[in-house]
Amino acid sequence: MESAQQAYDDQARLWNGPAGRAWVEAQAVLDQMFKPLEELLVEEVRAGERVLDVGCGTGATTLAVAQRTGTSGQAGGIDISGPMLDAARNRAQREGLPAGFIQADAQSHAFAPASFDRILSRLGVMFFADPAQAFANLRRAAREGGGRGGG
């Protein structure tokens, strides 16, 4: 059985290599294809919220969040793919949106406790090597009641 570290290493190699570069090259097509998911994910995000986008890739959902949170909030994305995050940072700068990006594994990254009002993910959570560990880590990063729909 593959260890969690080996699974992470394999994913990091993949997404920092050919898969990451392919995703960047196909960004426009993929963003259009996943636009309905993006719209559903961000529809309840409000100005002033602190939001984390897990597995943010080239940043489409993070940037949609930034449009909603504005300068009074915080839109952040985390991903293990350097090429994809470079694209996300360039997009944020080009579009003048206040979004920040971290290259790290959301499963083990040392987030400040209760640092996010809402945590969302378009597709990234399906790649966790140890989902229980990952979601426990993200839960610590969410404020009490964070991520719930409605008011």
Side-chain angles (χ1 to χ4, degrees), residues 67-144:
Q67 290 174 336
R68 296 181 73 90
T69 60
T71 57
S72 63
Q74 174 188 344
I78 186 168
D79 203 292
I80 63 172
S81 175
M84 293 169 75
L85 289 173
D86 288 343
R89 288 181 185 106
N90 289 337
R91 292 174 76 180
Q93 184 176 26
R94 201 171 45 249
E95 296 177 29
L97 291 170
F101 299 94
I102 302 166
Q103 184 173 355
D105 182 3
Q107 180 171 292
S108 58
H109 183 70
F111 296 105
S115 55
F116 298 101
D117 299 310
R118 189 179 301 268
I119 298 174
L120 51 82
S121 180
R122 187 173 72 181
L123 298 171
V125 298
M126 72 179 167
F127 297 104
F128 289 143
D130 184 339
Q133 176 187 344
F135 288 114
N137 189 46
L138 291 170
R139 176 62 191 102
R140 287 187 294 275
R143 72 165 170 79
E144 187 64 33

Side-chain angles (χ1 to χ4, degrees), residues 49-52 62-63 65-67 69-70 73-77 98-101:
E49 285 188 322
R50 300 164 300 156
V51 181
L52 177 66
T62 312
L63 299 179
V65 166
Q67 290 174 336
T69 60
Q74 174 188 344
F101 299 94

